[in-house]
Amino acid sequence: MSREFGVCIRGVSNATTNEALEGAFAQFGAITDVFVKAERGYAFVTFADKNSVAVAIEQAPATVGADNITVEARSEARPRKEAPPSSNVYIKGLLE
């Protein structure tokens, strides 16, 4: 699934649910995916089209439930860390 048309939401807590985020962001366009990583304090909402992202960032709510949130374009979110190269090799199906 492509998450190209998404926003990153910072400041979420364990009380934030997928349903709460859908309710807060559905007004900006069709949502294709919601991912909450509350223990890390962030979530992602993915829209069906690019225009929804700009509107969601511009008109984002300041709170979801009791959480004060900030919303940014997914492309502005911190990049994923690349794993260092490994010299380990896994060979499946060898007989012992």
Side-chain angles (χ1 to χ4, degrees):
M1 167 183 303
S2 172
R3 291 191 169 136
E4 180 181 357
F5 305 136
V7 294
C8 179
I9 302 154
R10 301 212 182 272
V12 300
S13 70
N14 288 329
T16 303
T17 64
N18 288 10
E19 293 77 18
L21 289 171
E22 286 177 14
F25 287 87
Q27 62 185 323
F28 307 122
I31 294 174
T32 60
D33 186 44
V34 176
F35 175 77
V36 179
K37 190 76 168 177
E39 62 273 8
R40 297 226 170 192
Y42 68 86
F44 295 104
V45 174
T46 306
F47 295 98
D49 67 84
K50 182 168 71 171
N51 295 331
S52 298
V53 173
V55 175
I57 291 170
E58 183 179 314
Q59 300 176 16
T63 61
V64 172
D67 298 332
N68 293 321
I69 62 165
T70 58
V71 179
E72 58 192 33
R74 182 167 174 85
S75 61
E76 295 171 2
R78 292 179 216 150
R80 290 185 178 188
K81 293 181 181 176
E82 297 270 336
S86 173
S87 59
N88 297 332
V89 177
Y90 174 75
I91 302 173
K92 184 178 178 180
L94 291 178
L95 299 175
E96 291 183 34

